[in-house]
Amino acid sequence: MEENSTGRRAILVGARTNNVSEEEFRIGMDELAGLCRSLAIAPAGEVVQNIPKEDPATCIGSGKVAQVREAIGEQGADLAVFNNTLSPAQLNNLSGALEVEVMDRTGLILNIFTDRARTREACLQTDYAHLKYMLPRLVGLRKNLGRQGGTGGSLSNKGSGEKAIELDRRKIEKEMASLRRQLTDVERIRAEQRKKRSASGLPLVALVGYTNAGKSSLMNRLLSDFGAEEEKSVYTADMLFATLDTSVRRIEPEGRRPFLLSDTVGFINDLPTDLVQAFRSTLEEALYADILVDVVDVSDPNCRMHMDVTEKTLKELGADGIPVIHVMNKAELVSGSCPRKAGDRLYLSVRNNLGIDLLLDEIEEILSAGTKLCRFRIPYSDSGVESILRKEAVIRAVAYDADAIRVTAEVRPRIAGQLKNYMTE
């Protein structure tokens, strides 16, 4: 028996069909338990059905429905969570048969996103995805609402659902239209922010990867060691989808070129399509990156699958042509020396601050491609040019002569073109 702060207990239910291997199914069920814990719901039991294909009425068949109901009674559970995506008819039938709240994997992830959203953009995106999910399932969700007496509130209508008073279809459609208009404005603002960042000339490095692999921890490590004074750390927690907000920070490694570092929302297997669409503008940050850093929890036995999910998601977004550095985090927990480089993978430990230099060297090597060593003569009347070089290039030498400042620096083509009138060779 697992204890949790909400007192909610769930029976986990999964239907393994012929096209899903036993290993894939087991990974999915274990992940479902982790998703429940992320909402402080205690997994109280598990019911599994091996079936050629899902039953159109109940997903698992009437016999297993009875078994789930029995498990609910024995464990004192108030929630049944299915690893499969339930159709509106299945949700309706199961809500009536089980007499507790019923949720599927998609609904569970949506509720996690609702719980984690903090910025206006994340709230708008999550609300829209949640309402879109709810719209065809109103009948089943109404039954869910009727099962909530004394249980502390429904998860199925949490957050955005509360805005759709009494789950009225017309009110939901009206709310979705309003959210679409607001999201259009947010996307315009995000595009303007990207334009400003691009104009700065600083390269963008984006952290991507499976949820809870250590992306935010890596950003905080780099911020602690090389961040500008005004830059703030980002939130971290040992849970799935601890943060949904994209954060961009300036990193200034000594002796290397500075860059912008972006931390993006984590990926997960079978991330709901509605969420991918709603968060597309956020996920598309990866499209504008000069380098992608795929952070992998190498101590997780399913890390290979996690890498495949990340690769697939990036390909779907159109970001598969960008250079990728694979950071195998938590390498101190597995066999082999740490830090080390093996092929296109860097084995390091963010927690123990091992291998960060290896990562910075790799970033520097990729960013250096296409740069050239230039010498500049800058009159003291134009001393602001030196500031530009210090921000956007790698300074190799500086001399303050009587008539001018002389700087030798590695610069990217755009900066070289911008400052060509100051170049001496």
Side-chain angles (χ1 to χ4, degrees):
M1 174 177 176
E2 294 188 33
E3 299 297 333
N4 65 92
S5 59
T6 66
R8 301 214 67 183
R9 294 168 61 79
I11 299 299
L12 309 186
V13 186
R16 185 172 80 86
T17 56
N18 288 343
N19 62 339
V20 178
S21 70
E22 178 63 34
E23 181 182 11
E24 290 174 324
F25 179 77
R26 191 66 261 158
I27 290 172
M29 292 299 290
D30 290 344
E31 208 164 64
L32 188 69
L35 291 168
C36 284
R37 294 187 187 98
S38 290
L39 280 176
I41 299 169
E46 183 180 287
V47 175
V48 171
Q49 170 70 304
N50 293 303
I51 193 170
K53 61 179 182 178
E54 291 184 15
D55 178 68
T58 62
C59 180
I60 55 176
S62 57
K64 283 293 179 179
V65 171
Q67 187 175 334
V68 173
R69 184 165 178 163
E70 182 180 345
I72 288 169
E74 290 177 351
Q75 298 298 328
D78 60 349
L79 179 65
V81 182
F82 283 69
N83 195 42
N84 310 70
T85 298
L86 300 176
S87 69
Q90 289 169 337
L91 177 62
N92 182 36
N93 294 334
L94 288 165
S95 297
L98 297 176
E99 297 186 334
V100 295
E101 185 177 1
V102 177
M103 192 184 305
D104 62 10
R105 181 186 177 92
T106 297
L108 188 65
I109 293 175
L110 283 168
N111 275 290
I112 292 173
F113 272 52
T114 298
D115 192 59
R116 303 284 190 272
R118 294 291 179 269
T119 64
R120 177 172 178 264
E121 180 180 14
C123 289
L124 289 172
Q125 291 168 326
T126 302
D127 283 356
Y128 184 79
H130 210 145
L131 289 171
K132 187 176 180 181
Y133 170 79
M134 287 168 58
L135 193 57
R137 296 173 170 82
L138 294 184
V139 176
L141 290 174
R142 282 194 180 94
K143 286 191 176 181
N144 268 334
L145 288 178
R147 311 298 182 195
Q148 296 311 308
T151 63
S154 168
L155 286 168
S156 294
N157 73 318
K158 183 180 178 182
S160 56
E162 292 170 355
K163 298 177 183 178
I165 303 171
E166 296 179 356
L167 301 178
D168 182 276
R169 182 179 296 276
R170 285 173 296 180
K171 290 174 182 175
I172 290 180
E173 290 173 341
K174 184 177 179 179
E175 178 71 8
M176 288 177 68
S178 173
L179 288 170
R180 279 195 297 269
R181 290 191 294 271
Q182 294 178 71
L183 282 169
T184 298
D185 291 339
V186 169
E187 288 169 6
R188 176 181 52 78
I189 293 171
R190 182 175 284 279
E192 291 173 357
Q193 291 172 338
R194 289 189 188 117
K195 187 176 180 181
K196 288 180 181 178
R197 291 203 301 265
S198 178
S200 75
L202 289 175
L204 177 64
V205 178
L207 301 174
V208 298
Y210 215 73
T211 180
N212 205 31
K215 297 183 297 299
S216 297
S217 295
L218 176 55
M219 171 173 267
N220 283 342
R221 172 63 67 185
L222 291 170
L223 279 172
S224 174
D225 295 344
F226 310 107
E229 289 185 5
E230 70 276 9
E231 301 289 19
K232 298 180 180 178
S233 62
V234 298
Y235 176 74
T236 61
D238 185 16
M239 64 175 68
L240 303 179
F241 299 115
T243 179
L244 304 180
D245 304 317
T246 297
S247 304
V248 181
R249 301 288 190 267
R250 182 186 175 100
I251 304 298
E252 301 176 338
E254 186 176 352
R256 303 178 177 94
R257 71 194 69 247
F259 57 87
L260 297 175
L261 185 65
S262 171
D263 180 21
T264 60
V265 63
F267 304 143
I268 195 170
N269 197 25
D270 295 326
L271 186 65
T273 303
D274 288 346
L275 271 179
V276 174
Q277 292 173 347
F279 276 78
R280 190 168 185 86
S281 65
T282 303
L283 293 170
E284 281 179 348
E285 284 292 320
L287 291 175
Y288 299 89
D290 296 278
I291 300 173
L292 300 176
V293 176
D294 175 19
V295 182
V296 182
D297 178 359
V298 72
S299 70
D300 192 306
N302 303 315
C303 67
R304 180 65 259 180
M305 182 271 283
H306 295 175
M307 294 179 72
D308 291 341
V309 168
T310 297
E311 182 180 358
K312 178 184 175 183
T313 306
L314 291 172
K315 188 172 183 178
E316 290 173 351
L317 291 170
D320 50 324
I322 299 172
V324 179
I325 300 172
H326 298 289
V327 167
M328 315 306 285
N329 188 29
K330 307 181 186 179
E332 79 281 8
L333 301 178
V334 298
S335 59
S337 59
C338 170
R340 63 188 172 94
K341 178 178 179 180
D344 61 351
R345 301 181 183 185
L346 304 180
Y347 290 80
L348 53 79
S349 170
V350 173
R351 173 179 292 181
N352 296 329
N353 199 15
L354 298 172
I356 304 301
D357 282 341
L358 273 180
L359 173 59
L360 292 173
D361 288 344
E362 198 74 9
I363 291 173
E364 178 70 14
E365 182 177 338
I366 295 174
L367 293 179
S368 296
T371 63
K372 59 180 180 178
L373 190 67
C374 299
R375 292 177 173 81
F376 300 87
R377 180 186 179 278
I378 306 168
Y380 283 101
S381 59
D382 294 340
S383 59
V385 173
E386 181 190 4
S387 297
I388 293 175
L389 288 171
R390 288 193 178 277
K391 287 182 179 179
E392 302 185 4
V394 177
I395 305 297
R396 295 306 181 193
V398 179
Y400 297 94
D401 295 343
D403 59 335
I405 306 169
R406 299 184 185 277
V407 180
T408 302
E410 289 185 20
V411 296
R412 303 174 75 193
R414 191 186 69 78
I415 300 300
Q418 181 181 329
L419 304 179
K420 62 182 179 181
N421 292 336
Y422 300 93
M423 292 173 58
T424 58
E425 56 182 87

